[in-house]
């Protein structure tokens, strides 16, 4: 059964959804979503409580790594890309080619960009750390302003 919770962050309202296997997604208000897609509200679900705690620690600069079970639904390739995203060190950025190399296919920059853009677990699977080759802030489902804020938060810590 899928469940969700919402909490206020320094970047606005955040929605997290999970099931008993793990975290399914973390969404900002700017994401196009419907709460009805996330199941029922369950603020006391253990994975959601852990997610809220660890995200609050992240926003306060106390946490750089997450220890939350993940259960995002994706293709084999998307899951490979999402796993590679979790290896980008806190406070660092990669370009899409770096990510393509990390998944073992240096010529797949566009494909990894597509998988990166479908990552449902914002922050914890840090797709915000992927930027354009020239250093530009490329698309982010939560909005470029949130991507910039996340990168600035990590640069300060």
């Amino acid at each position: 059964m899928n469940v969700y919770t919402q909490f206020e962050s320094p970047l606005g309202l955040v929605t997290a959804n999970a099931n008993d296997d793990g975290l399914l997604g973390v969404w900002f208000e700017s994401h196009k979503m419907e709460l009805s897609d996330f199941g029922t509200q369950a603020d006391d679900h253990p994975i959601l409580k852990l997610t809220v705690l660890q995200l609050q620690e992240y926003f306060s600069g106390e946490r750089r790594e997450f220890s939350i079970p993940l259960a995002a639904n994706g293709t084999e390739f998307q899951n490979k890309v999402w796993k590679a995203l979790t290896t980008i060190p806190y406070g660092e950025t990669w370009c899409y080619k770096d990510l393509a190399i990390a998944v073992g296919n240096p010529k797949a920059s566009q494909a990894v960009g597509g998988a990166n853009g479908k990552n449902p677990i914002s922050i914890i699977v840090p797709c915000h750390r992927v930027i354009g080759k020239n250093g530009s802030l490329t698309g982010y489902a939560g909005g470029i302003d949130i991507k910039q804020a996340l990168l600035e938060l990590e640069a300060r810590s």
Side-chain angles (χ1 to χ4, degrees):
M1 179 166 101
N2 292 353
V3 294
Y4 74 91
T5 191
Q6 295 183 299
F7 70 98
E8 280 297 330
S9 81
L11 300 176
L13 187 66
V14 173
T15 302
N17 79 301
N19 60 27
D20 289 336
D21 294 329
L23 186 64
L24 298 169
V26 173
W27 312 93
F28 290 99
E29 287 178 277
S30 51
H31 284 103
K32 292 173 178 57
M33 59 178 197
E34 295 292 329
L35 285 179
S36 59
D37 294 338
F38 297 139
T40 59
Q41 188 163 3
D43 300 332
D44 60 346
H45 190 279
I47 292 173
L48 294 177
K49 285 172 63 173
L50 181 63
T51 300
V52 171
L53 172 68
Q54 290 191 17
L55 284 171
Q56 289 170 334
E57 292 170 346
Y58 169 85
F59 283 120
S60 68
E62 299 169 30
R63 177 171 291 276
R64 292 174 174 234
E65 295 179 5
F66 296 93
S67 58
I68 301 166
L70 305 178
N73 296 312
T75 66
E76 183 179 337
F77 181 73
Q78 287 170 335
N79 284 311
K80 190 174 185 179
V81 170
W82 299 341
K83 184 172 182 169
L85 287 168
T86 66
T87 68
I88 303 173
Y90 180 94
E92 294 184 23
T93 56
W94 286 5
C95 68
Y96 291 98
K97 183 168 185 156
D98 296 329
L99 187 55
I101 291 168
V103 299
N105 193 343
K107 295 181 179 178
S109 294
Q110 284 188 317
V112 299
N116 186 63
K118 291 187 186 319
N119 168 34
I121 305 179
S122 298
I123 304 171
I124 295 164
V125 176
C127 56
H128 63 278
R129 295 181 189 152
V130 180
I131 60 173
K133 187 175 181 179
N134 64 0
S136 63
L137 297 186
T138 55
Y140 184 67
I144 294 293
D145 55 334
I146 289 179
K147 181 173 186 161
Q148 177 71 43
L150 293 170
L151 293 173
E152 288 174 1
L153 170 88
E154 293 183 10
R156 287 192 304 265
S157 299

